[in-house]
Amino acid sequence: MRADGLAGRTALITGAGSGIGRAVAVALAAAGARVIVAGRTAATLEQTVKLADEATAVWGGESLVRGQSWAPAVAAGAQAHIADVTDPAAVRALLVAVEREHGGLDIAVNNAGRPSWGPVARIAPAEWDAVLGVNLTGVWLCLQHELDLMRRSGGGAVVNIVSRLGIPTREENQNAYAASKAALSILTRTAAREYVGSGIRVNAVSPGPTDTAMTVWDQETPAERDERVARTVPIGRLAAPAEIAAAVRWLVSDEASYVVGHDLVVDGGLSA
Ligand code: NAP
């Protein structure tokens, strides 16, 4: 892809204050996109805005966090918006702001997610609801508004961040998380079929174990984590968030113009 392959495009990334979402924001900004990062924590989003703006020398940077007054007619550089993806009003307000400030949306990366671990019989109902609320319902809420805005803007590209645990897996203790991600993979395909006629490509990326807060286990040292990963992942190491972001960047680019409803597994050979 050309270095400026996403120039002129507006991209929304949820859960972009850390990990994979932050790496996606930086990768899309480096490719020329104007990125809008959303999440629940202003401080981490502001950090992502800074990194995204550093990645693009040409497009400059400013930030907008709800409650502050900066609101130009035509925004430049990365922006941050506070939005909890489980809150329908917040998601609606986010997409209204995107349309008002940018006139449309070209790229959406639904990345916000949370982990869950434990045996089927032990998961508390509140935990079950919380995991499905973010990983599945939250993406669906975002999709509703994103797809509507893209359809009215003349097309676009969506990537949902699923998980290799959402594809057939026999791993124990991942039940609520794996169920949420499996359902999201299917939602990705049905949305893809519904919207391809409107010029919108909906796809997914399913990462394997990636070097973010999500793979840091309680009571485990970094050395123990490296040893666990070396033992269990065929490639012998965690993915860097930038390696997942590279797959997302390709899927939203014109180079993937015939790729629709695909769940791209990037897992170091785990599911091979
Ligand atoms: P992470 O660093 O913990 O990122 C998760 C992000 O989601 C955080 O920035 C968090 O920010 C945000 N978030 C959580 N709940 C939210 C909500 N209700 N509304 C808005 N934002 C919310 O972990 P990560 O590994 O980068 O995870 C990113 C995605 O990759 C997730 O969907 C995860 O399931 C998926 N994934 C990760 C791995 C892995 O090994 N790391 C593997 C497969 C799939 P705030 O708390 O500030 O809102």
Side-chain angles (χ1 to χ4, degrees):
M1 188 172 70
R2 284 173 46 137
D4 61 350
L6 300 178
R9 308 209 186 157
T10 300
L12 171 66
I13 303 115
T14 68
S18 61
I20 292 170
R22 172 174 284 174
V24 170
V26 170
L28 300 192
R34 178 184 297 133
V35 301
I36 302 148
V37 298
R40 296 173 302 179
T41 311
T44 56
L45 292 173
E46 286 294 338
Q47 202 45 40
T48 300
V49 164
K50 193 165 171 287
L51 292 168
D53 286 341
E54 282 168 9
T56 150
V58 191
W59 283 270
E62 294 183 63
S63 68
L64 172 65
V65 172
R66 200 166 65 184
Q68 294 181 3
S69 59
W70 183 86
V74 179
Q79 290 186 327
H81 281 257
I82 300 295
D84 183 329
V85 298
T86 66
D87 177 349
V91 172
R92 186 171 180 282
L94 170 65
L95 272 298
V96 166
V98 168
E99 182 170 20
R100 186 181 62 238
E101 290 157 23
H102 303 279
L105 181 66
D106 305 297
I107 296 166
V109 181
N110 295 309
N111 165 81
R114 56 164 286 169
S116 178
W117 195 90
V120 174
R122 295 274 168 83
I123 288 208
E127 166 77 357
W128 178 271
D129 287 347
V131 174
L132 270 81
V134 179
N135 295 356
L136 180 60
T137 312
V139 176
W140 165 69
L141 283 170
C142 291
L143 271 176
Q144 285 198 312
H145 296 283
E146 292 160 358
L147 291 168
D148 180 54
L149 182 51
M150 285 180 179
R151 190 179 44 73
R152 290 187 284 110
S153 317
V158 178
V159 171
N160 296 328
I161 303 300
V162 184
S163 169
R164 62 106 197 165
L165 287 163
I167 57 180
T169 179
R170 290 171 186 81
E171 228 164 281
E172 300 163 2
N173 294 312
Q174 294 285 357
N175 53 82
Y177 182 79
S180 72
K181 294 294 189 177
L184 179 56
S185 185
I186 299 298
L187 178 65
T188 301
R189 288 163 219 250
T190 56
R193 288 292 285 261
E194 285 177 25
Y195 282 85
V196 65
S198 300
I200 303 168
R201 294 184 302 104
V202 184
N203 289 288
V205 167
S206 277
T210 305
D211 190 7
T212 73
M214 222 174 259
T215 46
V216 176
W217 290 5
D218 291 347
Q219 322 289 341
E220 191 182 52
T221 66
E224 286 167 341
R225 182 174 72 150
D226 288 348
E227 192 278 322
R228 166 171 60 85
V229 169
R231 193 169 20 87
T232 53
V233 182
I235 204 169
R237 63 173 177 83
L238 293 165
E243 292 177 298
I244 308 302
V248 175
R249 184 183 54 195
W250 176 73
L251 270 177
V252 301
S253 78
D254 292 345
E255 290 189 351
S257 53
Y258 204 66
V259 183
V260 176
H262 185 59
D263 188 342
L264 179 55
V265 178
V266 185
D267 71 352
L270 260 172
S271 55

